Amino acid sequence: MNLALIGLGTVNRGLLELLLEKRDSLLKEYGFAPLVTAISDPIVGSVFSEKGINIEEILSLLMKENNIKNYSDGIKGWNSEKTIKESNADTIVEAIPTNLETGEPGLSILRTALNDKKNVVTTNKGSIVLAYRELKNLAEENGVFLRFEGTVLSGTPVISLVESTFKGIEIKEVRGIMNGTANYILTKMEIGFSYEEALKRAKKKGIAEEQPEADIKGWDSAAKIVIIANVLMGGDLKFKEVSIKGIDTVTEKDIVKALAERKHWKLIAAAKKTEDKIIASVAPEILSDQDPLSKITGSINAINFTTDILGNIMVSGPGAGKRETGYALLSDLLYINEKKKR
Amino acid sequence: MNLALIGLGTVNRGLLELLLEKRDSLLKEYGFAPLVTAISDPIVGSVFSEKGINIEEILSLLMKENNIKNYSDGIKGWNSEKTIKESNADTIVEAIPTNLETGEPGLSILRTALNDKKNVVTTNKGSIVLAYRELKNLAEENGVFLRFEGTVLSGTPVISLVESTFKGIEIKEVRGIMNGTANYILTKMEIGFSYEEALKRAKKKGIAEEQPEADIKGWDSAAKIVIIANVLMGGDLKFKEVSIKGIDTVTEKDIVKALAERKHWKLIAAAKKTEDKIIASVAPEILSDQDPLSKITGSINAINFTTDILGNIMVSGPGAGKRETGYALLSDLLYINEKKKR
């Protein structure tokens, strides 16, 4: 498998680190030995090298110079389109910043790649939220794979969990804590931090982004519930149909009052099947101390699936992180590697 | 796929109900339309019908007469060995009572089936605890599948979860609540039931068996941790190497005392990789109110996996039940159906 990495931010750096660290075991256990033949990033630089890029050198350059312009080999300067069309990569790994309104530039990159018969793996929510059906059809028409595990809870299995282990099961309802920043802030506020202090701490720890609006206002959770509804529950839900309320509506007083009754505020994203459609919402809720979701603290995420055969199945794990989101990409690549071999 | 059901107790009845209920969707979504061509049970009776047994009639006979001796067609009276060897089934579904000391008669049934080049799906822990490596090798030598999801948490995915969604991940440690009867009793004791009352209630609700010794004394949890250690963590652990303490060592006084400190007694099964082996134990532990496992109540089970890439991933769901364990068999059959098609 020849990979072209579009974007070389935290997530694709996480993937490169894992490819290096797990090189021996991936080859031994899964016969998986991908070559990274192209990297394209508008800021840190672009390289194409037909016979494969040296990952150690790239990571070392990033560490020392925070760009890859001095990479010792290959053709430099290709943009994403040229990289997709002219490199020898068969699989495009797209991990650039998300835009929930237009999906761009990710959406165009994905369309170009699929039309050019390249497999796509991505962690970028925007395109999947806005155009899942179109992209899925495009992948099918072109006989390639489209995978996006990392758009939900980073590396914590959600899409692959349902696809692989819920066969024959119908999901009737989903409820979860799907945003690590919001949950971290609410958790810190319970031990006495003000909202501002908690947010500052989250930024310092690398949990919250510099512009945390999408996390705080519930948009990020809403994007995730749209993906779950459409991909795992057979829905056709639009982002604007989700009723959204963020944690900025919860005051320190609210939190103290709930705690006194041993209750906990959590930002809950939910989707429920009704007769003819899926109804979805994101809102802060007061959970009883007995609710397992009330014990999901800090930047951990969790999703509870209400099913027809198994009742409630809950999964929890990290919802963000360099290594964790890099792993989501790796797991998608391993999926394609396995299916291709058939 | 032609199935022979060995044992027609609760679990295989659950499977039959699901095959009936999900007939249309299994065919439509997975192209899966198995025929049950043989059933063999020493108590309720045996039938072999080359062209397929009518599931509705079997379930109706069980309801009315609690045996299948008056089934309207086929050859009657075959024992398990004759059924495996002489029926036209390619897949054996074994769900008979577990024996953790000898594995019998399940172990002999599995050996016969695998040697006769039949796929095996089972929910019977004994054989897998005692002879996993032997049976796995036997399946490989004979080019057939051996699947046993239902030996851990009934239908809650554990083996398939790790196989399908933890690719490239190393599990360093596992901790969980793996016995519904023990957890139900501890939960009821927290709200004031005596041990005897709680056990009586568990029996009445069909959670505990008439002979609940294996649940109470921790043997059932120990069997599960052996399977997890050997199948999912690459170990070679023997049942007798597990340090085992049951919930019969926890008094009502212990529980009240812990509750006063907002702590909870849980029967924890654990396995941890060390340099050269896996160390495993089953014992009641006092968990803090902050531990997510402390909120797993009643007959629900949960397992926390500590991994190298994703930190902690927890899954919870039912650990027993007719429908739930029947689904474990169905999920194994769907796995074989998918792999066979390759």
Side-chain angles (χ1 to χ4, degrees), chain A residues 18 21-22 25-26 29-30 155-157 160-161 163-170 262 289-292 294-297 300 308-318 323-324 327 330-331 334 338-339 342, chain B residues 18 21-22 25-26 29-30 155-157 160-161 163-170 262 289-292 294-297 300 308-318 323-324 327 330-331 334 338-339 342:
Chain A
L18 286 174
E21 177 188 329
K22 294 273 179 179
S25 67
L26 291 175
E29 287 174 46
Y30 305 101
T156 301
S160 60
L161 172 82
E163 279 183 352
S164 306
T165 75
F166 282 24
K167 289 198 171 84
I169 286 178
E170 188 189 342
R262 297 182 54 178
D289 188 60
Q290 298 310 307
D291 188 328
S294 77
K295 295 298 156 189
I296 303 299
T297 55
I300 300 299
D308 62 341
I309 300 180
L310 295 179
N312 289 313
I313 300 275
M314 191 167 111
V315 63
S316 69
R323 209 171 150 73
E324 292 81 354
Y327 176 73
L330 176 58
S331 73
L334 286 167
E338 194 185 318
K339 297 279 173 181
R342 288 189 181 189
Chain B
L18 286 174
E21 177 188 330
K22 294 274 178 178
S25 67
L26 291 175
E29 286 173 49
Y30 305 100
T156 301
S160 60
L161 172 82
E163 279 183 352
S164 305
T165 74
F166 282 24
K167 288 197 172 86
I169 286 177
E170 189 189 341
R262 295 182 56 179
D289 189 61
Q290 298 310 308
D291 188 327
S294 77
K295 295 299 156 188
I296 303 298
T297 55
I300 299 300
D308 62 339
I309 300 180
L310 296 178
N312 289 312
I313 300 277
M314 190 169 110
V315 62
S316 70
R323 210 171 148 74
E324 293 81 355
Y327 176 73
L330 176 58
S331 73
L334 286 166
E338 194 185 316
K339 297 278 173 177
R342 287 189 182 184

Side-chain angles (χ1 to χ4, degrees), chain B residues 8 25 36 73 78 87 135 141 143 202 215 225 247 268 270 287 337 342:
Chain B
L8 192 54
S25 67
V36 178
D73 184 34
W78 286 6
S87 78
L135 294 170
E141 282 163 24
D215 299 323
I225 204 73
I247 61 164
I268 300 293
L287 303 187
N337 180 58
R342 287 189 182 184

Side-chain angles (χ1 to χ4, degrees), chain B residues 171-174 225 227-235 271-273 278:
Chain B
I171 299 171
K172 295 175 170 297
E173 193 175 348
V174 165
I225 204 73
I227 295 173
I228 289 172
N230 293 345
V231 179
L232 304 179
M233 300 172 79
K272 190 173 183 171
K273 263 190 198 166
I278 293 175

Side-chain angles (χ1 to χ4, degrees), chain B residues 60-251:
Chain B
S60 154
L61 281 171
L62 287 171
M63 192 116 77
K64 280 186 245 156
E65 305 174 9
N66 204 27
N67 74 63
I68 59 171
K69 286 162 189 164
N70 290 321
Y71 183 73
S72 60
D73 184 34
I75 302 167
K76 308 286 165 62
W78 286 6
N79 67 13
S80 61
E81 195 178 342
K82 199 170 165 74
T83 300
I84 293 166
K85 291 191 169 168
E86 300 191 18
S87 78
N88 62 342
D90 49 61
T91 302
I92 307 302
V93 183
E94 186 253 333
I96 63 172
T98 284
N99 180 324
L100 288 176
E101 283 171 67
T102 66
E104 295 299 350
L107 185 51
S108 294
I109 290 172
L110 265 50
R111 284 185 182 129
T112 303
L114 295 170
N115 276 316
D116 210 33
K117 302 198 189 302
K118 308 288 160 67
N119 301 309
V120 166
V121 306
T122 179
T123 56
N124 187 343
K125 283 177 279 288
S127 333
I128 307 299
V129 167
L130 293 166
Y132 165 62
R133 293 201 172 187
E134 177 207 328
L135 294 170
K136 184 178 174 245
N137 290 337
L138 210 51
E140 279 169 14
E141 282 163 24
N142 285 286
V144 291
F145 293 98
L146 167 67
R147 305 290 301 171
F148 45 85
E149 180 66 65
T151 59
V152 189
L153 302 195
S154 77
T156 301
V158 176
I159 292 169
S160 60
L161 172 82
V162 173
E163 279 183 352
S164 305
T165 74
F166 282 24
K167 288 197 172 86
I169 286 177
E170 189 189 341
I171 299 171
K172 295 175 170 297
E173 193 175 348
V174 165
R175 273 171 65 81
I177 294 169
M178 305 189 192
N179 185 276
T181 297
N183 203 48
Y184 180 89
I185 290 172
L186 291 175
T187 304
K188 285 290 169 197
M189 285 172 79
E190 286 193 344
I191 58 167
F193 283 58
S194 71
Y195 172 82
E196 288 74 20
E197 285 164 346
L199 176 58
K200 208 170 139 189
R201 175 73 70 101
K203 284 187 185 177
K204 208 175 149 191
K205 290 196 76 176
I207 296 168
E209 292 170 56
E210 265 316 299
Q211 304 293 333
E213 217 182 2
D215 299 323
I216 304 302
K217 295 208 174 275
W219 305 335
D220 175 75
S221 298
K224 289 166 179 169
I225 204 73
V226 168
I227 295 173
I228 289 172
N230 293 345
V231 179
L232 304 179
M233 300 172 79
D236 188 17
L237 187 69
K238 304 277 178 288
F239 186 84
K240 65 173 191 294
E241 293 167 355
V242 184
S243 137
I244 308 175
K245 228 169 119 179
I247 61 164
D248 48 353
T249 60
V250 183
T251 65

